[in-house]
Structures are given as structure tokens and as C-alpha cells.
Amino acid sequence: MRNAEIAAAMTELATLYELDGAVLYRVLAYREAARVIEQSPVSVADLAREGRATELPGIGATLQGKIVDLVETGEIPAAAKLKARFPASLVEVTRLPGVGAKTARRLYDELDVTSLDDLRAAAEGERIQAVKGLGAKFEATVLGALDRLGEQGAPGRLLLSKVLPVAEQLAAALAEHPACDRVAIAGSARRRAETCKDIDLIATATDPAALATALVEHPLAAQAGSGGESGARIVTFDGISVDLRIVPPQAYGNLLQHFTGSAEHNIELRERAVRAGLSVSEHGISEVETGKVERYAREEQVYERLGLAYIEPELREGNGEIAAAAAGELPELVEISDLRGDLHCHTTLSDGRNSLAEMAEAARERGYSYLAITDHSASHGFGDHVEPDALRARIEEVAAYNAVSKGRFRLLAGSEVNILADGSLDYEDELLEALDWVVASVHTSFRMSGERMTERVIAAIENPLVDCIGHLTGRLIGRREPYDLDVEAIAEAAAANRTLIEINGNPNRRDLSERNARLAAEAGVAICVNTDAHGVDTLSNMTYGIATARRAWLGKRQVANTRTLNALLKLRGRRP
Ligand code: DGT
Ligand code: CA
Ligand code: ZN
């Protein structure tokens, strides 16, 4: 039995326990076990049979026993018992984005919902809004999620943060193989899109069949598809499809260009080529009249032959990049190494996982010269909130840290304050004035008209004590729609008041979106790219924030936190 199947059984058991109302730590323990099992490089079935699954972190004797039951009998008795009570179609309901097990159980108890079909009927019959605590907005969310299921099929698209590390791991493994000449990530992952359908890899090899076999036999490969001279296709343990294409070295540039896409970009490129009497394909560029084919080992040569400057992959979306390349007007895109600091992160004072000192140390290790500590404010809805006295103590702590670090690296004493429903903030002005850096975000009362939400955010932008707006639209990619906002009006207000707007690098958010970020920058808003890290590990989410900045065509100058701290602080409306 494959690790992926065991992990899936553990995830299902966690959901069943949750439906049954089990204590949270038990549910979380099974979810964590599923993650560990899925990522184990060795067979967990073999380990369990030898009584050694307990060597894996988070797996104790009980779980070891359950894995043995599963491997030997094909099912876990505890799961079988719960399945007799809760139909399998109810487990599907728990997986619908925005629902979850607790809500599914309420829908089951109160409305007899046992399947997605029941759920749709209940939503369409406006019966969900009658359930206390769910409401009309939730009912609309359910209908939206059901419609999206219909549109794109159950698995949906995968976040870049799920796909990219796997793509990089596989590319690195192939690069090390003796038969490998060159290998690159192509497709939407190379373009750093928000979501990806799959991983596309391109390679050249001295022995193509051997390289294809290396992918098929890679420990991450759950189901080996085909492998041969021209490439291989696998599905990883966590369900990501991977396509490897192995090509002759003389056409590597053509292939990489073609399979990087996007389809829209390639179509426009071909149209341009046709007007010049050329035909572009993955195999080369041919002259229509003579039939002469040219192949290029480097991607740059493909663009050069078409009279274009090299176009960075993040721009290849058919948003005007070809015309800009032809006119020599492409922006020089910001790079992650241009950043000098991060202006939004959390510590254990609110809902973060690391201390101020640990976050500071990690930021210094990344080569930053400043970091704003912005724990959640007093009325925050989840995790610990920070009372005014605690924030005053934090300001002292930051001052003490900076006194010792002698100006080479500076912490900014900050806060991520809530923009309340009426546009006011949840600390007194006097306290906000004592802070070095104030991020203001919407975290509560999402349900209001676009007009009122826009007024609410603009009130915060106009507040002279606000330096930056956090995750403007509140969207969660694939899970929660952005609030209804007039982004143009907001950008205009932010530019006029010299309030920054962040690109939040959390890969679930990437908010501003690339479209909004481009719009805001063009309106003259200073953009900063932040991680909103809740621990030292997620300071690396800058990768995704920068990906969005680049996809928004932003250059170094438009990204405020590429500047020195003094220059950055001069950009904002309030005191320098
Ligand atoms: P995805 O996988 O949906 O996240 O997005 P992509 O862009 O990775 O799309 P994918 O994997 O279907 O194909 C990779 C690239 O190959 C795509 O960006 C452009 C190129 N390509 C694939 N099929 C076609 C096609 O039918 N026409 C054109 N013009 N290009 C194609
Ligand atoms: Ca793809
Ligand atoms: Zn936030």
C-alpha cells in the first residue's frame, strides 16, 4: 500500500472524528500524521509491519496499530464504525471550500444534508440561511463553491506554494542524474502564476530513456505513468501531475519557450511571427517562403529572431508584453535580492510562533536591514490580542533591541491594527503615534456593500497615523472571494495621502493581486511587498510576494521596501 493511500485514510479518519465531534487535538493529530506519512521517503506500510512506524514524528503506538490494520485488512476499524454513521457523501461535503466538518455536521443535524446534491437543494431552497449562525452570505458562498466544482472538476487548481517546491525538488534530482544535460521548470510554475494545474519540466539528456526512468522511479512518484525516449509522466504522492519532456539540445530554447507559455502569449507571438513571414512552433522557427527551419538552444534567441527583447516568464500572459518588448519598453523587474526589509510580521505576542528576537535574527540572516513587528491589535478576532499596555511594553522591547544592534539592523515597533466597520482603528491615536509603523487591515465585519467597504478602507487611508494597508481585498485564493471594493478609488486615495499598500506574500492571499498591484502602481501608489509571516519559516513567502510584484510589471523603484529605511519612511504621508 502506497504512502499516499495510507495518508488519505488518515485524513479521512480525521474528518470522520471531526464529524463525530472529537476533541480538536485528536483531529489535528491525525491530520499531522497524514502529512508525515505522505512525505515519508520510505514505505510506511513496510515500517508499520516491522513495528517501526513509531519512528516517524507524531506517530505513536495507537497510530502504528491503525496503520497495520489498514495495510492488513484494507480498513481501519474505527473508521469503518464511523462510516456506518456518516455516509461517504457527507465526507465530500466537508471538503467543499468554505464548509469544513463542523459546519457539515450542523447541516447534517439540522437540514439532513448528506451529500453535495442535498447541499445544493438546501441552498437553492434558501434553507441554509435559516440555520442560526450560517446566514444568507454563507448560503451564497456555498452556491459559489458548488458552481466552481462544476466548472473545474473536483481537484481544482493547486497553489503555487504547493507546486513550486516539488517542481524544484524534482528538477534538482533530475539535474544530478548522470544522463541529464539540462533541465528547467516550464509552464505556469515558471511564470509564478497564483495556481497551477500541473508541473511541466523540460530537459535535454545524453540518455533520454534513462532520465525518464529516473523520474518514474523518483521517491515522490506515486503512480508511474509512461516513460520513454521523449519524456515521462508521473503523479506525486500528494496528487500533482508532472510532465517531463526530453528534447534534442539544438531545439531546447524553442521547447522551453513553447512550454513556458502562456497559451495567450504564444498565440500573440505566433501572430506577430506570421506577419513577418515566419512560423513558430515548439520545434523551431521556419520561414514560410523557403521552409527553412532554425532551431535555438537558448530561449533568448527565439525572442531575438522575432525582433523582441527577452521577456521574463512572469510577464508572459498576453497583457501587452509583446508590444512592450517590440518597442523596447519592458520594465526592469524587481528582484527578491533588491529587498531590504519586510514590513508586516507577527510574533508570539499575538498569533505568531516565534519571539521578537527570533524573527529579528531570521530577518538579519536573510540580509535585511529592517523588519517591522506588527502583531495584531486589541480587537482581533482570533489568537491572542495585544492590549495597549502590552504594546507599550513591546515598544520598549524594540527600543532595547535596537540599542544593542547599533543601527546596522533596525526593528520597527509596529502593529497590524483593525479597520473597524466605521473606518476607525482599535487603538487610541496617542498609542499609534508612539509606533514606528502602522499596518491597517480589515479582519472583521466582511459583510457590507462594496460602497461602504470602500469608504471604510479610504477612511483608514486618510488617517495620518496609518502607513500601510494590509491584504486589501481579503481574498483567499480558491477559497474566499475578494471583498467588493472600488480598487481604483482606493488607489487614488492612497496615492494622494501617501499611504502604502502591501502585496501580501502569503501564497494563499497574494493580495494585492497582480492586476490590482499594477493598477495601484500606475496610479502612483508606493507598493511594499510583505510576508505577513507568523513564524521564521514563512519569512520565505517573499518568493510569492515578489512573484506577484513581477507579474504586476513592478520595477525596483516602485517597491518601497527596496529602499533604505530612511528613504522608505520619507515615502509615507506622516512624520519622517
Ligand atoms: P496550467 O498548467 O493550467 O497551470 O498552465 P500552463 O500554462 O502550464 O499550461 P499547460 O500545462 O497546459 O501547458 C504548458 C504550456 O504549453 C502552455 O503555457 C503553452 C503551451 N501549450 C500547451 N498546449 C498548447 C496549445 O494547445 N496551444 C498553444 N499555443 N500552446 C500550448
Ligand atoms: Ca502546466
Ligand atoms: Zn492580517
Side-chain angles (χ1 to χ4, degrees):
M1 184 174 281
R2 290 185 175 275
N3 291 352
E5 293 168 68
I6 301 173
M10 289 300 156
T11 304
E12 185 186 51
L13 184 55
T15 303
L16 288 164
Y17 276 138
E18 204 177 1
L19 277 172
D20 195 35
V23 284
L24 188 62
Y25 72 79
R26 189 175 194 192
V27 173
L28 295 180
Y30 281 91
R31 294 240 161 85
E32 176 58 16
R35 202 183 59 80
V36 168
I37 292 165
E38 190 163 17
Q39 290 177 355
S40 164
V42 296
S43 164
V44 175
D46 291 349
L47 277 184
R49 271 195 224 97
E50 294 161 20
R52 291 173 49 218
T54 49
E55 290 170 15
L56 295 167
I59 302 217
T62 313
L63 264 158
Q64 148 83 32
K66 288 194 160 85
I67 298 169
V68 171
D69 287 340
L70 176 66
V71 170
E72 288 180 352
T73 70
E75 71 178 4
I76 304 170
K81 231 167 82 189
L82 288 167
K83 279 184 195 171
R85 288 189 49 204
F86 304 111
S89 54
L90 184 61
V91 174
E92 272 175 39
V93 173
T94 68
R95 295 197 189 115
L96 188 73
V99 176
K102 274 211 192 71
T103 309
R105 175 64 191 267
R106 294 200 54 198
L107 293 163
Y108 174 69
D109 287 344
E110 304 198 16
L111 299 175
D112 276 334
V113 167
T114 61
S115 66
L116 290 171
D117 286 342
D118 288 352
L119 184 65
R120 180 179 283 283
E124 285 174 350
E126 300 186 355
R127 281 181 283 132
I128 293 179
Q129 53 177 278
V131 177
K132 195 161 162 280
L134 296 183
K137 180 89 182 232
F138 174 73
E139 193 169 81
T141 308
V142 164
L143 281 172
L146 286 169
D147 287 345
R148 278 194 295 280
L149 273 190
E151 278 163 23
Q152 44 182 245
R157 295 178 62 83
L158 305 163
L159 282 180
L160 181 62
S161 53
K162 175 154 176 154
V163 168
L164 193 56
V166 175
E168 284 171 348
Q169 189 184 344
L170 292 175
L174 292 177
E176 274 174 20
H177 192 275
C180 185
D181 172 28
R182 267 190 297 185
V183 60
I185 299 168
S188 50
R190 183 168 183 229
R191 302 195 311 276
R192 304 291 189 262
E194 289 168 357
T195 61
C196 302
K197 178 191 68 197
D198 58 7
I199 294 173
D200 302 284
L201 299 172
I202 300 290
T204 57
T206 51
D207 181 349
L211 191 65
T213 303
L215 181 66
V216 169
E217 289 176 355
H218 190 278
L220 285 181
Q223 298 163 23
S226 42
E229 288 280 316
S230 61
R233 177 172 285 191
I234 62 162
V235 177
T236 68
F237 276 130
D238 41 4
I240 308 173
S241 308
V242 183
D243 244 331
L244 168 67
R245 292 180 184 84
I246 306 173
V247 302
Q250 61 275 19
Y252 177 79
N254 299 92
L255 253 300
L256 180 58
Q257 193 289 319
H258 177 81
F259 285 108
T260 296
S262 65
E264 292 76 11
H265 173 86
N266 286 354
I267 288 166
E268 247 190 75
L269 201 70
R270 280 178 200 183
E271 286 169 356
R272 182 183 165 83
V274 166
R275 288 198 293 277
L278 298 171
S279 165
V280 178
S281 79
E282 60 263 53
H283 308 295
I285 298 182
S286 58
E287 278 180 359
V288 175
E289 210 161 282
T290 61
K292 193 178 130 226
V293 182
E294 291 164 279
R295 298 178 215 287
Y296 298 110
R298 289 183 307 110
E299 206 181 28
E300 287 83 351
Q301 296 169 304
V302 176
Y303 287 100
E304 200 180 303
R305 177 70 183 86
L306 298 172
L308 298 171
Y310 178 72
I311 301 175
E312 298 283 356
E314 291 93 330
L315 297 182
R316 301 184 197 169
E317 295 292 345
N319 289 329
E321 69 278 7
I322 291 175
E329 285 168 0
L330 281 174
E332 192 171 320
L333 299 180
V334 62
E335 291 182 26
I336 197 159
S337 57
D338 292 332
L339 292 170
R340 293 177 192 257
D342 191 334
L343 296 166
H344 182 170
C345 77
H346 299 266
T347 71
T348 47
L349 190 61
S350 62
D351 55 352
R353 294 178 298 276
N354 291 97
S355 67
L356 173 142
E358 287 163 345
M359 293 300 282
E361 190 51 38
R364 295 174 83 134
E365 273 169 22
R366 292 184 67 84
Y368 292 159
S369 50
Y370 49 88
L371 175 71
I373 304 285
T374 55
D375 278 300
H376 289 290
S377 56
S379 68
H380 188 257
F382 27 90
D384 289 340
H385 50 255
V386 181
E387 296 296 343
D389 280 346
L391 185 57
R392 283 187 198 99
R394 170 47 63 91
I395 294 171
E396 300 295 311
E397 211 182 328
V398 165
Y401 183 94
N402 286 336
V404 175
S405 96
K406 294 198 185 81
R408 297 159 59 118
F409 172 87
R410 255 196 75 193
L411 284 181
L412 301 182
S415 176
E416 182 184 13
V417 299
N418 268 343
I419 306 175
L420 301 174
D422 64 357
S424 67
L425 308 176
D426 57 351
Y427 284 129
E428 297 296 325
D429 284 0
E430 193 196 352
L431 181 52
L432 292 174
E433 272 163 25
L435 293 169
D436 301 315
W437 185 254
V438 175
V439 178
S441 317
V442 169
H443 286 112
T444 51
S445 318
F446 301 153
R447 300 169 199 192
M448 53 171 70
S449 70
E451 206 173 323
R452 282 193 56 216
M453 188 63 105
T454 301
E455 280 170 17
R456 174 181 179 184
V457 173
I458 288 180
I461 286 172
E462 288 174 345
N463 187 326
L465 296 171
V466 170
D467 298 309
C468 177
I469 301 295
H471 46 73
L472 176 69
T473 74
R475 71 152 175 184
L476 294 174
I477 296 170
R479 285 190 283 150
R480 186 167 79 200
E481 292 297 313
Y483 327 129
D484 191 6
L485 282 174
D486 183 344
V487 178
E488 279 174 47
I490 284 171
E492 201 176 299
N497 288 278
R498 293 200 287 151
T499 302
L500 284 76
I501 305 184
E502 76 172 5
I503 291 174
N504 188 299
N506 178 330
N508 295 283
R509 293 186 181 272
R510 296 178 70 175
D511 184 8
L512 302 173
S513 66
E514 56 216 33
R515 189 162 170 277
N516 286 339
R518 193 170 171 187
L519 184 159
E522 279 170 8
V525 178
I527 306 287
C528 52
V529 184
N530 297 332
T531 59
D532 195 357
H534 282 64
V536 293
D537 49 347
T538 39
L539 283 169
S540 62
N541 280 344
M542 207 47 111
T543 305
Y544 305 107
I546 281 291
T548 290
R550 289 169 63 86
R551 288 172 63 84
W553 292 50
L554 300 191
K556 180 175 173 181
R557 210 182 46 80
Q558 289 161 299
V559 176
N561 48 328
T562 61
R563 306 194 182 206
T564 62
L565 184 57
N566 282 340
L568 163 78
L569 296 180
K570 279 182 198 146
L571 285 175
R572 63 180 179 177
R574 73 156 158 178
R575 71 200 183 282

